[in-house]
Coordinates of all heavy atoms in Angstrom, one line a residue:
A1 N -11.4 52.4 4.6 CA -11.1 51.0 4.7 C -10.3 50.5 3.5 O -10.5 51.1 2.4 CB -12.4 50.2 4.9
E2 N -9.5 49.5 3.7 CA -8.6 49.0 2.6 C -8.2 47.6 2.9 O -8.1 47.2 4.0 CB -7.4 50.0 2.5 CG -6.4 49.6 1.4 CD -7.0 49.7 0.0 OE1 -7.8 48.9 -0.4 OE2 -6.6 50.7 -0.7
M3 N -7.8 46.9 1.8 CA -7.2 45.6 2.0 C -5.9 45.6 1.1 O -6.0 46.1 -0.1 CB -8.1 44.5 1.5 CG -7.5 43.1 1.6 SD -8.6 41.8 1.2 CE -7.6 40.4 1.4
L4 N -4.8 45.2 1.6 CA -3.5 45.2 0.9 C -2.7 43.9 1.2 O -2.8 43.3 2.3 CB -2.7 46.4 1.4 CG -3.2 47.8 1.0 CD1 -2.5 48.9 1.8 CD2 -3.1 48.0 -0.5
S5 N -1.8 43.6 0.2 CA -0.9 42.4 0.4 C 0.5 42.8 0.3 O 1.4 41.9 0.2 CB -1.3 41.4 -0.8 OG -2.6 41.0 -0.7
V6 N 0.8 44.1 0.3 CA 2.2 44.6 0.1 C 3.2 44.3 1.2 O 4.4 44.4 1.0 CB 2.2 46.1 -0.2 CG1 1.4 46.4 -1.5 CG2 1.7 46.9 1.0
A7 N 2.7 43.9 2.4 CA 3.6 43.5 3.5 C 4.2 42.1 3.3 O 5.0 41.7 4.1 CB 2.8 43.6 4.8
T8 N 3.8 41.4 2.3 CA 4.3 40.1 1.9 C 5.9 40.2 1.9 O 6.4 41.2 1.3 CB 3.8 39.6 0.6 OG1 2.4 39.3 0.7 CG2 4.5 38.3 0.1
R9 N 6.6 39.3 2.5 CA 8.0 39.4 2.7 C 8.8 38.2 2.2 O 8.3 37.1 2.2 CB 8.3 39.6 4.2 CG 9.7 40.0 4.5 CD 9.8 40.3 6.0 NE 8.9 41.4 6.4 CZ 8.6 41.7 7.6 NH1 9.2 41.0 8.6 NH2 7.7 42.6 7.9
L10 N 10.0 38.4 1.7 CA 10.9 37.4 1.2 C 12.3 37.7 1.7 O 12.8 38.8 1.5 CB 10.8 37.3 -0.3 CG 11.7 36.2 -1.0 CD1 11.2 34.8 -0.6 CD2 11.7 36.3 -2.5
G11 N 13.0 36.7 2.2 CA 14.3 36.9 2.7 C 15.2 35.6 2.5 O 14.7 34.5 2.4
I12 N 16.5 35.8 2.5 CA 17.5 34.7 2.4 C 18.6 35.0 3.4 O 19.2 36.1 3.5 CB 18.1 34.7 1.0 CG1 17.0 34.6 -0.1 CG2 19.0 33.4 0.9 CD1 17.6 34.7 -1.5
D13 N 18.8 34.0 4.3 CA 19.9 34.0 5.2 C 21.0 33.1 4.6 O 20.8 32.0 4.2 CB 19.5 33.4 6.5 CG 18.7 34.4 7.4 OD1 19.0 35.6 7.2 OD2 17.8 34.0 8.1
F14 N 22.3 33.7 4.5 CA 23.4 33.0 4.0 C 24.4 32.7 5.1 O 24.5 33.4 6.1 CB 24.1 33.9 3.0 CG 23.3 34.2 1.8 CD1 22.6 35.4 1.7 CD2 23.2 33.4 0.7 CE1 21.8 35.7 0.6 CE2 22.5 33.7 -0.4 CZ 21.8 34.9 -0.5
R15 N 25.1 31.6 5.0 CA 26.2 31.2 5.9 C 27.4 30.9 5.0 O 27.2 30.3 3.9 CB 25.9 30.1 6.8 CG 25.7 28.8 6.2 CD 25.4 27.7 7.2 NE 25.3 26.4 6.6 CZ 24.2 25.9 6.0 NH1 23.1 26.6 5.9 NH2 24.3 24.7 5.4
G16 N 28.6 31.3 5.4 CA 29.8 31.1 4.6 C 31.0 30.6 5.3 O 30.8 30.2 6.5
T17 N 32.1 30.6 4.7 CA 33.3 30.1 5.3 C 33.8 31.1 6.3 O 33.5 32.3 6.2 CB 34.4 29.9 4.2 OG1 34.6 31.1 3.5 CG2 34.0 28.7 3.3
P18 N 34.6 30.7 7.3 CA 35.1 31.6 8.3 C 36.0 32.7 7.6 O 36.7 32.4 6.7 CB 36.0 30.7 9.2 CG 35.4 29.3 9.1 CD 34.9 29.3 7.6
I19 N 35.9 33.9 8.2 CA 36.7 35.0 7.7 C 37.5 35.6 8.9 O 36.8 36.0 9.9 CB 35.8 36.1 7.1 CG1 35.1 35.5 5.9 CG2 36.6 37.3 6.7 CD1 34.1 36.5 5.3
M20 N 38.8 35.6 8.8 CA 39.6 36.1 9.9 C 39.2 35.4 11.3 O 39.2 36.1 12.3 CB 39.5 37.6 10.0 CG 40.0 38.3 8.8 SD 40.0 40.1 8.9 CE 38.2 40.4 8.9
G21 N 38.9 34.2 11.2 CA 38.6 33.4 12.4 C 37.2 33.6 12.9 O 36.8 33.2 14.0
A22 N 36.4 34.3 12.1 CA 35.0 34.6 12.5 C 34.0 33.8 11.7 O 34.2 33.6 10.5 CB 34.7 36.1 12.4
K23 N 32.9 33.4 12.3 CA 31.8 32.8 11.5 C 31.2 33.9 10.7 O 30.9 35.0 11.2 CB 30.8 32.3 12.5 CG 29.5 31.8 11.9 CD 28.5 31.3 12.9 CE 27.2 30.9 12.3 NZ 26.2 30.5 13.3
S24 N 30.9 33.7 9.4 CA 30.4 34.7 8.5 C 29.0 34.3 8.1 O 28.7 33.2 7.7 CB 31.3 34.8 7.3 OG 31.3 33.7 6.5
T25 N 28.1 35.3 8.1 CA 26.7 35.2 7.7 C 26.3 36.5 7.0 O 27.0 37.5 7.1 CB 25.8 34.9 8.9 OG1 25.9 36.0 9.8 CG2 26.1 33.6 9.6
A26 N 25.2 36.4 6.3 CA 24.7 37.6 5.6 C 23.2 37.4 5.4 O 22.6 36.3 5.5 CB 25.3 37.7 4.2
K27 N 22.5 38.5 5.1 CA 21.0 38.5 5.0 C 20.6 39.5 3.9 O 21.2 40.6 3.8 CB 20.3 38.9 6.3 CG 18.8 39.0 6.2 CD 18.2 39.5 7.5 CE 18.3 38.6 8.7 NZ 17.4 37.4 8.5
I28 N 19.7 39.0 3.1 CA 18.9 39.9 2.2 C 17.5 39.7 2.4 O 17.0 38.6 2.4 CB 19.2 39.6 0.7 CG1 20.7 39.8 0.4 CG2 18.4 40.5 -0.2 CD1 21.1 39.3 -1.0
E29 N 16.7 40.8 2.7 CA 15.3 40.7 3.0 C 14.6 41.9 2.3 O 15.1 43.0 2.3 CB 15.1 40.8 4.5 CG 13.6 40.7 4.9 CD 13.5 40.8 6.4 OE1 13.6 39.8 7.1 OE2 13.2 41.9 6.9
C30 N 13.4 41.6 1.7 CA 12.7 42.6 1.0 C 11.2 42.3 1.1 O 10.7 41.3 1.6 CB 13.0 42.5 -0.5 SG 12.6 41.0 -1.3
D31 N 10.4 43.4 0.8 CA 9.0 43.2 0.7 C 8.5 43.9 -0.6 O 9.3 44.3 -1.4 CB 8.3 43.8 2.0 CG 8.5 45.3 2.2 OD1 8.9 46.0 1.3 OD2 8.3 45.7 3.3
F32 N 7.2 44.1 -0.7 CA 6.7 44.7 -1.9 C 6.0 46.0 -1.7 O 5.1 46.4 -2.4 CB 5.7 43.7 -2.6 CG 6.4 42.4 -2.9 CD1 6.5 41.4 -2.0 CD2 6.9 42.2 -4.2 CE1 7.1 40.2 -2.3 CE2 7.5 41.0 -4.5 CZ 7.6 40.0 -3.6
A33 N 6.5 46.7 -0.7 CA 5.9 48.0 -0.3 C 6.3 49.1 -1.3 O 5.7 50.2 -1.3 CB 6.3 48.4 1.1
G34 N 7.4 48.9 -2.0 CA 7.8 49.9 -3.0 C 8.0 51.3 -2.5 O 8.5 51.5 -1.4

């Protein structure tokens, strides 16, 4: 048996200016699983 908190997650969704006529977005997502 075990108890863990390492699945805790943090992310950032970005939106930016159009690029070559396309909507631009980006994502960075991480956890603490190491």
Side-chain angles (χ1 to χ4, degrees):
E2 179 67 286
M3 181 177 177
L4 293 165
S5 304
V6 298
T8 294
R9 189 175 305 170
L10 181 65
I12 308 174
D13 284 325
F14 298 94
R15 65 179 187 276
T17 56
I19 299 174
M20 296 182 292
K23 175 185 175 183
S24 65
T25 56
K27 179 188 289 288
I28 299 173
E29 183 181 274
C30 62
D31 62 18
F32 298 86

